[in-house]
Amino acid sequence: MRFDHCPVCGRLLELRQIGDEGNVPFCKECERPWFPFSYPCVICLCMDEDGNVLLIKQSYGISRYVCVAGYIKAGEDAETALRREIAEETGLEVLGARYLYSRYFEKHDNLMLAFACRVRRSELKLSANEVSEANWFTPDDAYNALFEGAYGRDMLNEVKRLEKEGLLGI
Ligand SMILES: [Zn+2]
């Protein structure tokens, strides 16, 4: 997201040199810079107590298995966002979450924060608006159910690596 006009007062922004940041769009009225940014999201590899992986199909877009993901709301931290998204989409409670890595997703200008999430396995209560289907898989089956290039595949590999080294911690 890049700003040409101030999102508060609507004034046309001017470039101003700010520290080491170089020229940054600046509102003279509000006396503040408007740094470009990418929308932050969480993407969650949901695992039960035995390491089974939950994948969902969204009600919109292409019908294929994906991980639970969603935008971090204004004023919300990533950990709260992932608990909220997982609860909203699947009805499951998060027991622990571990940050894995971030990836920039150019198509939607998102900064994706990837988390491994341990969830309490219980009855699924799928979001009526957003989720058409959800299923549990072994890690290997989950890998195969995900499409080529899916973030979930990367996340499964990273979780496997961390578990092998005893570093997953959730
Ligand atoms: Zn302004």
Side-chain angles (χ1 to χ4, degrees):
M1 168 68 89
R2 293 175 191 283
F3 298 98
D4 296 320
H5 292 82
C6 176
V8 175
C9 74
R11 186 190 176 106
L12 186 65
L13 302 175
E14 297 171 16
L15 291 178
R16 182 175 288 191
Q17 177 80 28
I18 297 184
D20 295 330
E21 304 297 328
N23 283 326
V24 176
F26 190 91
C27 179
K28 279 168 85 173
E29 190 69 31
C30 301
E31 296 186 321
R32 59 157 291 176
W34 291 97
F35 289 94
F37 74 99
S38 303
Y39 279 97
C41 300
V42 288
I43 181 163
C44 308
L45 187 72
C46 294
M47 300 176 294
D48 70 7
E49 295 92 332
D50 298 320
N52 298 299
V53 174
L54 184 74
L55 299 176
I56 64 167
K57 285 186 177 177
Q58 291 163 325
S59 311
Y60 48 88
I62 308 164
S63 176
R64 59 187 182 186
Y65 281 111
V66 292
C67 292
V68 171
Y71 284 97
I72 301 174
K73 291 183 176 179
E76 194 176 50
D77 55 64
E79 289 78 1
T80 304
L82 67 86
R83 285 171 193 276
R84 177 180 53 71
E85 285 292 342
I86 291 170
E88 283 174 7
E89 296 194 8
T90 70
L92 298 180
E93 180 196 353
V94 176
L95 301 172
R98 185 198 199 281
Y99 175 69
L100 297 175
Y101 55 72
S102 63
R103 294 277 188 276
Y104 176 63
F105 183 49
E106 191 173 6
K107 189 179 168 193
H108 295 147
D109 192 18
N110 291 147
L111 179 65
M112 313 286 292
L113 308 179
F115 284 85
C117 301
R118 192 70 69 186
V119 297
R120 190 190 305 282
R121 186 149 176 173
S122 58
E123 190 195 343
L124 295 170
K125 294 183 187 107
L126 304 183
S127 160
N129 301 320
E130 293 189 22
V131 181
S132 63
E133 200 180 322
N135 281 298
W136 289 102
F137 297 89
T138 64
D140 285 347
D141 288 347
Y143 190 92
N144 291 326
L146 290 159
F147 58 94
E148 177 83 36
Y151 284 103
R153 285 191 164 188
D154 261 2
M155 295 165 77
L156 278 163
N157 285 336
E158 181 63 2
V159 163
K160 195 186 272 185
R161 186 186 72 80
L162 290 167
E163 276 180 332
K164 204 167 151 190
E165 297 182 23
L167 295 173
L168 188 61
I170 54 165

